């Protein structure tokens, strides 16, 4: 049973955060495509998740807007 915040469930939101943060800690800034791969989701789903994480202050867009840290 998950509580909902916005669109994603809290459990899945936390899982996506952990995967993104672990990848960034290991490799430095990452692209949307890298997040798509690690999350195992489509481009459109990754775009939605990234927007949620940027709006939450968890990810920061860098450069041209395709890289995150």
């Amino acid at each position: 049973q998950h509580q909902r915040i916005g669109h994603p469930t809290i459990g899945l939101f936390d899982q996506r955060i952990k995967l993104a943060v672990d990848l960034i800690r290991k490799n430095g800034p990452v692209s949307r495509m890298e997040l798509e791969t690690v999350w195992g989701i489509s481009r459109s789903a990754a775009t939605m998740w990234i927007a949620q994480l940027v709006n939450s202050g968890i990810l920061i867009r860098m450069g041209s807007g395709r890289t995150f840290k």
Side-chain angles (χ1 to χ4, degrees):
Q1 187 178 34
H2 297 283
Q3 295 177 346
R4 302 207 30 108
I5 54 170
H7 205 19
T9 62
I10 290 174
L12 190 54
F13 190 72
D14 289 343
Q15 181 184 12
R16 298 272 195 249
I17 292 168
K18 182 179 180 343
L19 288 169
V21 169
D22 288 350
L23 182 66
I24 292 166
R25 282 187 178 145
K26 181 179 177 187
N27 299 328
V30 297
S31 68
R32 177 194 39 80
M33 288 181 65
E34 289 171 294
L35 291 172
E36 282 175 33
T37 301
V38 76
W39 289 339
I41 59 176
S42 69
R43 177 181 182 165
S44 60
T47 299
M48 189 264 316
W49 278 101
I50 290 166
Q52 291 266 341
L53 296 178
V54 169
N55 290 338
S56 298
I58 295 163
L59 292 182
I60 300 169
R61 283 191 196 277
M62 298 178 59
S64 66
R66 295 185 194 169
T67 305
F68 305 91
K69 70 174 188 174

